Amino acid sequence: MSARSSDQALTRALRALADAEARVETPAHVETAIMALWDARHDQAQTAPTRRRIVRGAAAIAAGVTIVGSVALQRDLADRPIAPPRSPAISFDRAASPRVAPAISDAADTPAPGAADRHPSPGANDARSALVVMGDPIATGEIVHIVRMRVMRSALTELGIAANASTEMVDVDVLVGEDGVARGLRVSL
Amino acid sequence: MRHEGEVSDDDLMRRTAAGDRDAFAAVYRKHHSVVFRFARLMTGSNETAEDIVQEVFLGLMRGASRYDPARASLTTYLYGSARHQIRRRLLRDRLFVSLDDSGSDPCPAHVVGSAVEELSRERDVREMRRAILALPSKYREVIVLCDLQDVSYADAASALSCAIGTVRSRLHRARQLLTQKLQRSRACALVPARPTVRCEV
């Protein structure tokens, strides 16, 4: 087959394909889908400014409340007298402590049978221990609970207590008053 | 009231950018066919072509305000956008889906000269379609645009982001490749099938 006739055949075949393709139309559902997308997009665009206005209003209100609250808090703190700082750590002899001794003797020094064997008190076997008093003093006759905890030694160092434990974790007794507020902390030195 | 055909693409696009639904619908009705046919010829799949039409017009909807008529005509812009979508799709799919010949070549009765001619014509169309789909993408693009969609070389160059000379050289090479493919397929068709021989054991 010569080059000329090949070209002619190719042109003919291309023309036939072009004619066949000219009759092909995009299905109608494509237009429906595109116009639905248009509608959805423009509905969204119309509702967006309203939503944006609501969000801006809410943000402004929240900012106002925060500012008023912080000003009120500042004023309240300024009016309140500043209490003298308490001693962070009181080193005491257990038997000689007049204020906390009764409470401790009620709850801590009379443990349940066998409890001391399992979890010895941080100050039970040591000659010296430290008591950090915090909050209100323990009232006479007030029932004090002792919660035994294990804390990081670094946490005690921050309170000014140098515990003699060799490990990173130190056992401490937390004295908890009837109101559930911690009143003191006992740790062996 | 003006007829849709009288309104220029620039005007329609300006109105589309302003949120005119009717203008966008008019743009779609005016241009959907060329995008669909281009996508169909490039991918060989009706479903993929439908997806590409949707993607192209969705992109037009989103970026109507960015369209600059000074840079290219809307048709060229749409071809470029369709080409981009097709490339992405082909890269993702990495294969072509063959056309469903039964439904894709509607042939009305008035076109048919004779049954033999029609069969021959259908076979030619099928062969040509296969040969075009087998071409590398850069050659397929120019054949589809210039030979099948009657796009001018300048517009094709603009849509393909290349020089007119490149379009010409690619078209020349694409036609050579197509001729070779068609000759090969016809030669294969002329080889008689080997007769089946029953062996006696």
PDB file of all heavy atoms in Angstrom, chain B residues 142-172:
ATOM      1  N   VAL B 142      -3.114  15.240  20.494  1.00  0.00           N
ATOM      2  CA  VAL B 142      -3.141  16.056  19.267  1.00  0.00           C
ATOM      3  C   VAL B 142      -4.070  15.457  18.215  1.00  0.00           C
ATOM      4  O   VAL B 142      -4.755  16.188  17.499  1.00  0.00           O
ATOM      5  CB  VAL B 142      -1.721  16.279  18.682  1.00  0.00           C
ATOM      6  CG1 VAL B 142      -0.927  17.221  19.549  1.00  0.00           C
ATOM      7  CG2 VAL B 142      -0.973  14.988  18.466  1.00  0.00           C
ATOM      8  N   ILE B 143      -4.094  14.120  18.148  1.00  0.00           N
ATOM      9  CA  ILE B 143      -4.998  13.487  17.177  1.00  0.00           C
ATOM     10  C   ILE B 143      -6.451  13.802  17.529  1.00  0.00           C
ATOM     11  O   ILE B 143      -7.259  14.164  16.668  1.00  0.00           O
ATOM     12  CB  ILE B 143      -4.763  11.948  17.158  1.00  0.00           C
ATOM     13  CG1 ILE B 143      -3.523  11.607  16.344  1.00  0.00           C
ATOM     14  CG2 ILE B 143      -5.971  11.208  16.622  1.00  0.00           C
ATOM     15  CD1 ILE B 143      -3.708  11.673  14.830  1.00  0.00           C
ATOM     16  N   VAL B 144      -6.766  13.675  18.832  1.00  0.00           N
ATOM     17  CA  VAL B 144      -8.150  13.917  19.259  1.00  0.00           C
ATOM     18  C   VAL B 144      -8.527  15.379  19.027  1.00  0.00           C
ATOM     19  O   VAL B 144      -9.600  15.680  18.492  1.00  0.00           O
ATOM     20  CB  VAL B 144      -8.329  13.521  20.744  1.00  0.00           C
ATOM     21  CG1 VAL B 144      -9.680  13.985  21.271  1.00  0.00           C
ATOM     22  CG2 VAL B 144      -8.209  12.015  20.905  1.00  0.00           C
ATOM     23  N   LEU B 145      -7.644  16.277  19.403  1.00  0.00           N
ATOM     24  CA  LEU B 145      -7.980  17.702  19.279  1.00  0.00           C
ATOM     25  C   LEU B 145      -8.021  18.156  17.821  1.00  0.00           C
ATOM     26  O   LEU B 145      -9.012  18.738  17.383  1.00  0.00           O
ATOM     27  CB  LEU B 145      -6.968  18.555  20.045  1.00  0.00           C
ATOM     28  CG  LEU B 145      -7.092  18.552  21.569  1.00  0.00           C
ATOM     29  CD1 LEU B 145      -5.976  19.375  22.197  1.00  0.00           C
ATOM     30  CD2 LEU B 145      -8.441  19.104  22.013  1.00  0.00           C
ATOM     31  N   CYS B 146      -6.959  17.869  17.082  1.00  0.00           N
ATOM     32  CA  CYS B 146      -6.845  18.450  15.737  1.00  0.00           C
ATOM     33  C   CYS B 146      -7.604  17.654  14.678  1.00  0.00           C
ATOM     34  O   CYS B 146      -8.219  18.247  13.791  1.00  0.00           O
ATOM     35  CB  CYS B 146      -5.377  18.564  15.338  1.00  0.00           C
ATOM     36  SG  CYS B 146      -4.450  19.613  16.457  1.00  0.00           S
ATOM     37  N   ASP B 147      -7.566  16.329  14.747  1.00  0.00           N
ATOM     38  CA  ASP B 147      -8.185  15.533  13.693  1.00  0.00           C
ATOM     39  C   ASP B 147      -9.633  15.151  14.006  1.00  0.00           C
ATOM     40  O   ASP B 147     -10.422  14.943  13.093  1.00  0.00           O
ATOM     41  CB  ASP B 147      -7.371  14.255  13.457  1.00  0.00           C
ATOM     42  CG  ASP B 147      -6.129  14.536  12.621  1.00  0.00           C
ATOM     43  OD1 ASP B 147      -6.047  15.651  12.061  1.00  0.00           O
ATOM     44  OD2 ASP B 147      -5.247  13.676  12.542  1.00  0.00           O
ATOM     45  N   LEU B 148      -9.954  15.017  15.272  1.00  0.00           N
ATOM     46  CA  LEU B 148     -11.309  14.572  15.606  1.00  0.00           C
ATOM     47  C   LEU B 148     -12.198  15.700  16.128  1.00  0.00           C
ATOM     48  O   LEU B 148     -13.409  15.659  15.940  1.00  0.00           O
ATOM     49  CB  LEU B 148     -11.258  13.439  16.635  1.00  0.00           C
ATOM     50  CG  LEU B 148     -10.540  12.166  16.174  1.00  0.00           C
ATOM     51  CD1 LEU B 148     -10.448  11.158  17.289  1.00  0.00           C
ATOM     52  CD2 LEU B 148     -11.267  11.551  14.976  1.00  0.00           C
ATOM     53  N   GLN B 149     -11.616  16.690  16.790  1.00  0.00           N
ATOM     54  CA  GLN B 149     -12.429  17.775  17.339  1.00  0.00           C
ATOM     55  C   GLN B 149     -12.292  19.054  16.505  1.00  0.00           C
ATOM     56  O   GLN B 149     -12.883  20.060  16.871  1.00  0.00           O
ATOM     57  CB  GLN B 149     -12.005  18.079  18.777  1.00  0.00           C
ATOM     58  CG  GLN B 149     -12.056  16.884  19.733  1.00  0.00           C
ATOM     59  CD  GLN B 149     -13.372  16.785  20.481  1.00  0.00           C
ATOM     60  OE1 GLN B 149     -14.383  16.387  19.896  1.00  0.00           O
ATOM     61  NE2 GLN B 149     -13.363  17.135  21.743  1.00  0.00           N
ATOM     62  N   ASP B 150     -11.496  18.999  15.466  1.00  0.00           N
ATOM     63  CA  ASP B 150     -11.319  20.161  14.572  1.00  0.00           C
ATOM     64  C   ASP B 150     -10.865  21.423  15.299  1.00  0.00           C
ATOM     65  O   ASP B 150     -11.314  22.531  14.980  1.00  0.00           O
ATOM     66  CB  ASP B 150     -12.620  20.440  13.791  1.00  0.00           C
ATOM     67  CG  ASP B 150     -12.894  19.346  12.773  1.00  0.00           C
ATOM     68  OD1 ASP B 150     -11.918  18.762  12.266  1.00  0.00           O
ATOM     69  OD2 ASP B 150     -14.081  19.069  12.510  1.00  0.00           O
ATOM     70  N   VAL B 151     -10.016  21.257  16.273  1.00  0.00           N
ATOM     71  CA  VAL B 151      -9.452  22.413  16.975  1.00  0.00           C
ATOM     72  C   VAL B 151      -8.264  22.910  16.159  1.00  0.00           C
ATOM     73  O   VAL B 151      -7.492  22.102  15.613  1.00  0.00           O
ATOM     74  CB  VAL B 151      -8.998  21.996  18.407  1.00  0.00           C
ATOM     75  CG1 VAL B 151      -8.299  23.142  19.126  1.00  0.00           C
ATOM     76  CG2 VAL B 151     -10.197  21.514  19.215  1.00  0.00           C
ATOM     77  N   SER B 152      -8.107  24.222  16.068  1.00  0.00           N
ATOM     78  CA  SER B 152      -6.984  24.767  15.276  1.00  0.00           C
ATOM     79  C   SER B 152      -5.654  24.456  15.983  1.00  0.00           C
ATOM     80  O   SER B 152      -5.632  24.207  17.194  1.00  0.00           O
ATOM     81  CB  SER B 152      -7.141  26.275  15.149  1.00  0.00           C
ATOM     82  OG  SER B 152      -6.950  26.888  16.404  1.00  0.00           O
ATOM     83  N   TYR B 153      -4.602  24.487  15.203  1.00  0.00           N
ATOM     84  CA  TYR B 153      -3.282  24.197  15.783  1.00  0.00           C
ATOM     85  C   TYR B 153      -2.946  25.179  16.908  1.00  0.00           C
ATOM     86  O   TYR B 153      -2.366  24.798  17.926  1.00  0.00           O
ATOM     87  CB  TYR B 153      -2.194  24.273  14.708  1.00  0.00           C
ATOM     88  CG  TYR B 153      -2.209  23.126  13.707  1.00  0.00           C
ATOM     89  CD1 TYR B 153      -1.325  23.101  12.645  1.00  0.00           C
ATOM     90  CD2 TYR B 153      -3.104  22.066  13.844  1.00  0.00           C
ATOM     91  CE1 TYR B 153      -1.318  22.048  11.722  1.00  0.00           C
ATOM     92  CE2 TYR B 153      -3.110  21.025  12.926  1.00  0.00           C
ATOM     93  CZ  TYR B 153      -2.228  21.021  11.870  1.00  0.00           C
ATOM     94  OH  TYR B 153      -2.245  19.992  10.971  1.00  0.00           O
ATOM     95  N   ALA B 154      -3.305  26.437  16.692  1.00  0.00           N
ATOM     96  CA  ALA B 154      -2.992  27.462  17.702  1.00  0.00           C
ATOM     97  C   ALA B 154      -3.727  27.178  19.011  1.00  0.00           C
ATOM     98  O   ALA B 154      -3.136  27.250  20.108  1.00  0.00           O
ATOM     99  CB  ALA B 154      -3.375  28.837  17.177  1.00  0.00           C
ATOM    100  N   ASP B 155      -5.007  26.847  18.901  1.00  0.00           N
ATOM    101  CA  ASP B 155      -5.786  26.557  20.113  1.00  0.00           C
ATOM    102  C   ASP B 155      -5.285  25.278  20.780  1.00  0.00           C
ATOM    103  O   ASP B 155      -5.246  25.189  22.016  1.00  0.00           O
ATOM    104  CB  ASP B 155      -7.273  26.422  19.773  1.00  0.00           C
ATOM    105  CG  ASP B 155      -7.918  27.774  19.517  1.00  0.00           C
ATOM    106  OD1 ASP B 155      -7.271  28.803  19.831  1.00  0.00           O
ATOM    107  OD2 ASP B 155      -9.048  27.809  18.988  1.00  0.00           O
ATOM    108  N   ALA B 156      -4.942  24.288  19.954  1.00  0.00           N
ATOM    109  CA  ALA B 156      -4.412  23.038  20.512  1.00  0.00           C
ATOM    110  C   ALA B 156      -3.110  23.308  21.257  1.00  0.00           C
ATOM    111  O   ALA B 156      -2.895  22.784  22.360  1.00  0.00           O
ATOM    112  CB  ALA B 156      -4.186  22.027  19.398  1.00  0.00           C
ATOM    113  N   ALA B 157      -2.270  24.142  20.660  1.00  0.00           N
ATOM    114  CA  ALA B 157      -1.001  24.474  21.322  1.00  0.00           C
ATOM    115  C   ALA B 157      -1.257  25.167  22.648  1.00  0.00           C
ATOM    116  O   ALA B 157      -0.582  24.905  23.651  1.00  0.00           O
ATOM    117  CB  ALA B 157      -0.170  25.367  20.406  1.00  0.00           C
ATOM    118  N   SER B 158      -2.248  26.043  22.658  1.00  0.00           N
ATOM    119  CA  SER B 158      -2.583  26.756  23.893  1.00  0.00           C
ATOM    120  C   SER B 158      -3.132  25.784  24.942  1.00  0.00           C
ATOM    121  O   SER B 158      -2.764  25.857  26.118  1.00  0.00           O
ATOM    122  CB  SER B 158      -3.612  27.840  23.566  1.00  0.00           C
ATOM    123  OG  SER B 158      -3.961  28.531  24.716  1.00  0.00           O
ATOM    124  N   ALA B 159      -4.005  24.875  24.510  1.00  0.00           N
ATOM    125  CA  ALA B 159      -4.586  23.913  25.459  1.00  0.00           C
ATOM    126  C   ALA B 159      -3.542  22.943  25.994  1.00  0.00           C
ATOM    127  O   ALA B 159      -3.607  22.514  27.134  1.00  0.00           O
ATOM    128  CB  ALA B 159      -5.716  23.140  24.787  1.00  0.00           C
ATOM    129  N   LEU B 160      -2.579  22.601  25.129  1.00  0.00           N
ATOM    130  CA  LEU B 160      -1.555  21.620  25.528  1.00  0.00           C
ATOM    131  C   LEU B 160      -0.315  22.287  26.124  1.00  0.00           C
ATOM    132  O   LEU B 160       0.644  21.594  26.473  1.00  0.00           O
ATOM    133  CB  LEU B 160      -1.147  20.758  24.324  1.00  0.00           C
ATOM    134  CG  LEU B 160      -2.272  19.986  23.625  1.00  0.00           C
ATOM    135  CD1 LEU B 160      -1.743  19.246  22.416  1.00  0.00           C
ATOM    136  CD2 LEU B 160      -2.921  19.014  24.586  1.00  0.00           C
ATOM    137  N   SER B 161      -0.338  23.601  26.179  1.00  0.00           N
ATOM    138  CA  SER B 161       0.790  24.385  26.733  1.00  0.00           C
ATOM    139  C   SER B 161       2.099  24.052  26.009  1.00  0.00           C
ATOM    140  O   SER B 161       3.116  23.728  26.636  1.00  0.00           O
ATOM    141  CB  SER B 161       0.961  24.122  28.222  1.00  0.00           C
ATOM    142  OG  SER B 161      -0.238  24.297  28.899  1.00  0.00           O
ATOM    143  N   CYS B 162       2.042  24.091  24.701  1.00  0.00           N
ATOM    144  CA  CYS B 162       3.268  23.857  23.931  1.00  0.00           C
ATOM    145  C   CYS B 162       3.238  24.741  22.676  1.00  0.00           C
ATOM    146  O   CYS B 162       2.252  25.425  22.414  1.00  0.00           O
ATOM    147  CB  CYS B 162       3.397  22.376  23.561  1.00  0.00           C
ATOM    148  SG  CYS B 162       2.111  21.771  22.490  1.00  0.00           S
ATOM    149  N   ALA B 163       4.321  24.696  21.895  1.00  0.00           N
ATOM    150  CA  ALA B 163       4.400  25.529  20.700  1.00  0.00           C
ATOM    151  C   ALA B 163       3.604  24.896  19.555  1.00  0.00           C
ATOM    152  O   ALA B 163       3.348  23.688  19.561  1.00  0.00           O
ATOM    153  CB  ALA B 163       5.863  25.669  20.298  1.00  0.00           C
ATOM    154  N   ILE B 164       3.245  25.734  18.596  1.00  0.00           N
ATOM    155  CA  ILE B 164       2.489  25.217  17.442  1.00  0.00           C
ATOM    156  C   ILE B 164       3.329  24.193  16.685  1.00  0.00           C
ATOM    157  O   ILE B 164       2.817  23.173  16.216  1.00  0.00           O
ATOM    158  CB  ILE B 164       2.063  26.375  16.507  1.00  0.00           C
ATOM    159  CG1 ILE B 164       1.051  27.260  17.225  1.00  0.00           C
ATOM    160  CG2 ILE B 164       1.471  25.843  15.218  1.00  0.00           C
ATOM    161  CD1 ILE B 164       0.552  28.429  16.394  1.00  0.00           C
ATOM    162  N   GLY B 165       4.618  24.459  16.592  1.00  0.00           N
ATOM    163  CA  GLY B 165       5.516  23.519  15.910  1.00  0.00           C
ATOM    164  C   GLY B 165       5.500  22.155  16.567  1.00  0.00           C
ATOM    165  O   GLY B 165       5.545  21.120  15.880  1.00  0.00           O
ATOM    166  N   THR B 166       5.406  22.158  17.881  1.00  0.00           N
ATOM    167  CA  THR B 166       5.342  20.881  18.613  1.00  0.00           C
ATOM    168  C   THR B 166       4.060  20.139  18.269  1.00  0.00           C
ATOM    169  O   THR B 166       4.057  18.915  18.090  1.00  0.00           O
ATOM    170  CB  THR B 166       5.414  21.146  20.133  1.00  0.00           C
ATOM    171  OG1 THR B 166       6.505  22.008  20.390  1.00  0.00           O
ATOM    172  CG2 THR B 166       5.560  19.875  20.924  1.00  0.00           C
ATOM    173  N   VAL B 167       2.974  20.897  18.153  1.00  0.00           N
ATOM    174  CA  VAL B 167       1.696  20.270  17.788  1.00  0.00           C
ATOM    175  C   VAL B 167       1.816  19.627  16.412  1.00  0.00           C
ATOM    176  O   VAL B 167       1.397  18.478  16.209  1.00  0.00           O
ATOM    177  CB  VAL B 167       0.553  21.321  17.801  1.00  0.00           C
ATOM    178  CG1 VAL B 167      -0.733  20.742  17.230  1.00  0.00           C
ATOM    179  CG2 VAL B 167       0.320  21.822  19.210  1.00  0.00           C
ATOM    180  N   ARG B 168       2.402  20.371  15.494  1.00  0.00           N
ATOM    181  CA  ARG B 168       2.554  19.845  14.122  1.00  0.00           C
ATOM    182  C   ARG B 168       3.399  18.564  14.114  1.00  0.00           C
ATOM    183  O   ARG B 168       3.021  17.563  13.494  1.00  0.00           O
ATOM    184  CB  ARG B 168       3.236  20.879  13.230  1.00  0.00           C
ATOM    185  CG  ARG B 168       2.366  22.033  12.825  1.00  0.00           C
ATOM    186  CD  ARG B 168       3.159  22.951  11.895  1.00  0.00           C
ATOM    187  NE  ARG B 168       2.608  24.281  11.833  1.00  0.00           N
ATOM    188  CZ  ARG B 168       1.585  24.648  11.071  1.00  0.00           C
ATOM    189  NH1 ARG B 168       0.997  23.766  10.314  1.00  0.00           N
ATOM    190  NH2 ARG B 168       1.141  25.888  11.095  1.00  0.00           N
ATOM    191  N   SER B 169       4.525  18.609  14.797  1.00  0.00           N
ATOM    192  CA  SER B 169       5.411  17.434  14.765  1.00  0.00           C
ATOM    193  C   SER B 169       4.765  16.244  15.477  1.00  0.00           C
ATOM    194  O   SER B 169       4.863  15.105  15.013  1.00  0.00           O
ATOM    195  CB  SER B 169       6.761  17.775  15.407  1.00  0.00           C
ATOM    196  OG  SER B 169       6.582  18.088  16.760  1.00  0.00           O
ATOM    197  N   ARG B 170       4.074  16.514  16.568  1.00  0.00           N
ATOM    198  CA  ARG B 170       3.403  15.404  17.271  1.00  0.00           C
ATOM    199  C   ARG B 170       2.289  14.814  16.413  1.00  0.00           C
ATOM    200  O   ARG B 170       2.075  13.597  16.394  1.00  0.00           O
ATOM    201  CB  ARG B 170       2.811  15.904  18.599  1.00  0.00           C
ATOM    202  CG  ARG B 170       3.834  16.053  19.688  1.00  0.00           C
ATOM    203  CD  ARG B 170       3.173  16.437  20.983  1.00  0.00           C
ATOM    204  NE  ARG B 170       4.145  16.784  21.997  1.00  0.00           N
ATOM    205  CZ  ARG B 170       3.834  17.305  23.165  1.00  0.00           C
ATOM    206  NH1 ARG B 170       2.586  17.535  23.482  1.00  0.00           N
ATOM    207  NH2 ARG B 170       4.776  17.577  24.048  1.00  0.00           N
ATOM    208  N   LEU B 171       1.590  15.693  15.713  1.00  0.00           N
ATOM    209  CA  LEU B 171       0.497  15.222  14.862  1.00  0.00           C
ATOM    210  C   LEU B 171       1.034  14.339  13.726  1.00  0.00           C
ATOM    211  O   LEU B 171       0.452  13.292  13.408  1.00  0.00           O
ATOM    212  CB  LEU B 171      -0.243  16.439  14.288  1.00  0.00           C
ATOM    213  CG  LEU B 171      -1.621  16.198  13.712  1.00  0.00           C
ATOM    214  CD1 LEU B 171      -2.549  15.541  14.724  1.00  0.00           C
ATOM    215  CD2 LEU B 171      -2.232  17.505  13.242  1.00  0.00           C
ATOM    216  N   HIS B 172       2.145  14.771  13.165  1.00  0.00           N
ATOM    217  CA  HIS B 172       2.766  13.993  12.084  1.00  0.00           C
ATOM    218  C   HIS B 172       3.155  12.611  12.600  1.00  0.00           C
ATOM    219  O   HIS B 172       2.843  11.588  11.983  1.00  0.00           O
ATOM    220  CB  HIS B 172       4.003  14.752  11.569  1.00  0.00           C
ATOM    221  CG  HIS B 172       4.723  14.040  10.482  1.00  0.00           C
ATOM    222  ND1 HIS B 172       4.205  13.917   9.213  1.00  0.00           N
ATOM    223  CD2 HIS B 172       5.920  13.394  10.464  1.00  0.00           C
ATOM    224  CE1 HIS B 172       5.045  13.222   8.472  1.00  0.00           C
ATOM    225  NE2 HIS B 172       6.090  12.893   9.208  1.00  0.00           N
TER     226      HIS B 172
END
